[in-house]
Amino acid sequence: MLCVLGGTFDPVHFGHLRPALEVQQALDIECVHLLPCRVPPHRAVPVASPEQRLALLRAALDDEPALAIDARELQREGPSYMVETLEALRRERGDQPLCLALGMDAFAGLESWHRWQDIPVLCHLVIMQRPGSAWPDRGAIAGWVEQARVDAPHILRSRPAGCIVAVPVTQLAVSSTQIRALLAAGRSPRYLLPDAVLERIRQENWYAG
């Protein structure tokens, strides 16, 4: 079973890494693949270049075999539509179970995604559920949850796609925006992101004000 987690990772921090590791453990898979996007369709263009963000991800994961990098979206021009990435993975993987990990906020906004109706045909959704977060209670997404939600991650192994499962993850109120603001102000973001990532940012003077 393969699981991917997308994001801009601008820069990568513990709010990305700890939930990804918890998903890997909950699904009992070899690793979760972090999928940095080149041009996010629903948010501002990243501050750091694709090459810089990839370098920081590599620094973060250097000693963590449970997390890996899939850089295909950085190599593809135009908006980084997740449905196109999932289609490519499905062509490569055949009928292997394929999972997309999402936070609850992203899942609640899924109807705004490009060709979102095709996503459940291509993969399972693993919802990273932080304490206090609630499932959508209206619209097409709520109806889909009612039909597709399963209680245990192991059920995902029985079919290629189409299920939704919640995985409880640690609440970490860390954001890339916060880290960039600290760096621009000349303040330290240490303990919000891996030391190896911070060291590379400082060496290259990235995100400086």
Side-chain angles (χ1 to χ4, degrees), residues 129-157:
Q129 191 168 31
R130 292 174 171 83
S133 63
W135 292 96
D137 60 2
R138 65 190 67 180
I141 296 296
W144 180 23
V145 170
E146 187 174 340
Q147 296 176 3
R149 186 176 172 187
V150 298
D151 294 330
H154 71 84
I155 298 173
L156 306 184
R157 296 181 179 275

Side-chain angles (χ1 to χ4, degrees), residues 4-7 9 33-37 68 70-73 82 85 89:
V4 298
L5 170 62
F9 305 112
H33 293 253
L34 302 186
L35 190 72
C37 71
D70 185 329
R72 71 180 68 219
E73 288 190 353
M82 180 57 71
T85 300
L89 288 167

Side-chain angles (χ1 to χ4, degrees), residues 69-147:
I69 301 170
D70 185 329
R72 71 180 68 219
E73 288 190 353
L74 297 181
Q75 300 157 3
R76 192 171 72 216
E77 297 295 332
S80 301
Y81 292 125
M82 180 57 71
V83 69
E84 295 178 356
T85 300
L86 293 171
E87 285 176 331
L89 288 167
R90 180 55 67 202
R91 288 192 295 270
E92 295 168 12
R93 300 281 178 156
D95 289 335
Q96 179 183 8
L98 174 61
C99 304
L100 171 64
L102 288 176
M104 188 63 82
D105 288 348
F107 177 61
L110 196 67
E111 288 179 73
S112 67
W113 289 28
H114 179 61
R115 292 174 47 206
W116 75 272
Q117 298 95 332
D118 293 333
I119 290 176
V121 180
L122 295 164
C123 69
H124 302 299
L125 288 186
V126 176
I127 309 304
M128 298 179 291
Q129 191 168 31
R130 292 174 171 83
S133 63
W135 292 96
D137 60 2
R138 65 190 67 180
I141 296 296
W144 180 23
V145 170
E146 187 174 340
Q147 296 176 3

Side-chain angles (χ1 to χ4, degrees), residues 7-53:
T8 54
F9 305 112
D10 187 31
V12 62
H13 54 70
F14 290 133
H16 301 126
L17 299 171
R18 181 62 201 179
L21 182 62
E22 290 172 340
V23 167
Q24 180 266 337
Q25 293 172 344
L27 298 184
D28 192 23
I29 57 177
E30 181 178 358
C31 64
V32 166
H33 293 253
L34 302 186
L35 190 72
C37 71
R38 184 182 184 90
V39 182
H42 298 101
R43 58 196 307 176
V45 174
V47 173
S49 70
E51 294 77 17
Q52 290 168 340
R53 291 183 287 123

